[in-house]
Amino acid sequence: KLLPDQRAPPAAAWAADAKPGVGVSGMVDEHAGAMRTTLGVLEAAYYALPESLQRVRVKLTEPDGRHPLAALAELLVAVLVAGIAVEWIYHRALRRFRAGLDRTPAATYSAQVFKHGVGLLIDLGAILVWTIAAISTFFLVWHEHELRRTTILDIVIGIIIVRTTMLVARFLLAPREPSKRLLPFADAPARTLYRFPVIVATLLAIELATVALLQGSGASQPTLDLVALLPVALGISVTLWTVWSVREPIAVLIRGTGTHGTIRHWTAELWPILATLYFLGILFARVFDILAGERVLSGQGIFSILLVAGMPIVDMALCRALGRPTGGHPAEGHVARVRGVFHSYEGVFRKAIHIVVVVVGLVLFSRLWGLNLFAIAQQS
């Protein structure tokens, strides 16, 4: 028979002395109360959304009483027309150089990358010229209305994001010009892959502009979180549709030519499932952060999508550029020696490219989500 001080402690006392739960269950239990509260707040923000939009309309209308769309359209047209006019002059000034560049032959892959890269820089210069002209016009027609000014600036930034994404995607995939395509895809997958970043960038631009507009009109943080969730969900949906639409062309690239090992085979078979789990994890993480009351960056989830989609593209382009110096016309002297080095150590260079791309991608991903990889590595 146990003495009183040897008996098991009461359940209430044990629970009080117990350490908080660990792992996923402990984390969920710790935030359960906050999540229920946040769900209620988000529900209230959803039903109050028409009122929030009406507040935006009132803010844009004050103090002169002008219709908000008319007031914004007047400023936006002036900014866009000025940008388009100066960009047209820019293209006219460089038309002969661009025509000569298009006629220049490019026998090797590296020469094609350089040729189209110069064209990409010219087009990026056009966007820069357009931006300078648009911003200069914006300051010339300076308006005292703060919310209208910030709205126009957000629209200009959104246009820059979408146009830049379109240029880079066209540089790599050339959906309408197979002869200029730098990535080894057929026409249908190339068009699908081209549309994907453009749609995601458009959703990002809409999210940034909408959140900024609501924030400028005094909307609450739950309303901003609620509005920001929709573009992320749409972006994930577009991404998953793209993944399963191009699963076979990507699998063919992963398998490569000739014999391949078990890891490469299963990677080619399972990559769409792994990608689906990753992107659904991004959506879950975004929802969890909002429900747990954590502040998240606007566009965080969409930037994660673009980062993970861009890593294999960069890796593929670098490996293709690395593999081409062994081909082409016979060479002598220094060029022949360089090609010999590439041929002898091509496997090493490819592995180095894979490592660098993965490391850079992890660093960017950790910065995007505020993770300290070094601290995590020390704790593991």
Side-chain angles (χ1 to χ4, degrees), residues 15-331:
D17 294 337
K19 294 181 179 180
V22 296
V24 177
S25 60
M27 182 175 59
V28 172
D29 182 67
E30 181 183 352
H31 293 90
M35 286 182 176
R36 286 193 295 269
T37 302
T38 306
L39 276 175
V41 174
L42 289 175
E43 182 181 6
Y46 171 76
Y47 288 112
L49 195 57
E51 182 181 347
S52 300
L53 296 177
Q54 179 62 25
R55 192 180 302 115
V56 172
R57 185 180 184 281
V58 171
K59 287 283 186 179
L60 288 174
T61 303
E62 295 174 344
D64 51 15
R66 297 187 60 190
H67 193 280
L69 293 180
L72 290 176
E74 179 181 305
L75 293 172
L76 186 60
V77 167
V79 169
L80 294 181
V81 169
I84 292 172
V86 175
E87 183 180 350
W88 180 82
I89 296 173
Y90 171 86
H91 282 299
R92 289 286 295 176
L94 294 176
R95 68 185 185 280
R96 293 184 180 179
F97 176 81
R98 190 60 183 267
L101 180 66
D102 292 337
R103 291 192 299 267
T104 302
T108 65
Y109 182 79
S110 299
Q112 292 176 7
V113 172
F114 179 78
K115 172 184 174 179
H116 299 316
V118 173
L120 175 65
L121 291 176
I122 293 175
D123 291 335
L124 289 175
I127 295 180
L128 178 61
V129 168
W130 181 91
T131 303
I132 294 173
I135 298 298
S136 300
T137 305
F138 169 79
F139 284 112
L140 287 175
V141 293
W142 180 268
H143 202 284
E144 295 298 330
H145 199 292
E146 182 180 356
L147 188 57
R148 293 176 191 172
R149 293 200 313 269
T150 56
T151 302
I152 296 298
L153 280 178
D154 291 331
I155 293 175
V156 170
I157 293 172
I159 293 173
I160 295 170
I161 292 173
V162 174
R163 289 192 62 186
T164 304
T165 304
M166 291 176 65
L167 279 182
V168 175
R170 190 175 64 197
F171 166 71
L172 294 170
L173 296 163
R176 301 184 181 276
E177 299 176 281
S179 61
K180 297 182 178 180
R181 192 169 299 150
L182 299 179
L183 297 181
F185 291 107
D187 290 347
R191 286 193 292 268
T192 301
L193 289 171
Y194 171 79
R195 287 193 294 265
F196 157 66
V198 174
I199 294 175
V200 172
T202 303
L203 290 173
L204 172 62
I206 293 173
E207 177 188 356
L208 294 175
T210 305
V211 169
L213 184 61
L214 287 169
Q215 192 172 24
S217 63
S220 63
Q221 186 60 42
T223 302
L224 301 180
D225 291 337
L226 186 67
V227 172
L229 270 178
L230 181 59
V232 175
L234 291 176
I236 297 292
S237 301
V238 171
T239 303
L240 294 180
W241 179 84
T242 304
V243 164
W244 289 96
S245 296
V246 299
R247 62 186 183 278
E248 189 54 38
I250 298 293
V252 170
L253 290 178
I254 294 174
R255 294 189 191 100
T257 57
T259 58
H260 49 269
T262 304
I263 295 178
R264 179 175 291 187
H265 169 75
W266 283 111
T267 302
E269 294 295 326
L270 296 177
W271 85 265
I273 298 176
L274 297 175
T276 299
L277 293 176
Y278 169 78
F279 293 123
L280 289 178
I282 290 178
L283 181 60
F284 172 79
R286 184 66 187 264
V287 174
F288 182 84
D289 284 342
I290 290 177
L291 292 180
E294 300 288 339
R295 293 297 301 272
V296 291
L297 297 176
S298 184
Q300 196 175 39
I302 294 180
F303 276 126
S304 299
I305 297 173
L306 293 176
L307 175 61
V308 173
M311 285 171 56
I313 292 176
V314 172
D315 182 90
M316 187 191 312
L318 292 176
C319 287
R320 288 197 73 194
L322 177 67
R324 292 307 178 92
T326 60
H329 301 290

Side-chain angles (χ1 to χ4, degrees), residues 342-363:
F342 273 106
H343 180 73
S344 301
Y345 296 97
E346 183 176 342
V348 177
F349 289 142
R350 286 181 180 275
K351 289 181 180 179
I353 289 174
H354 298 330
I355 293 173
V356 170
V357 170
V358 170
V359 170
V360 172
L362 287 176
V363 170

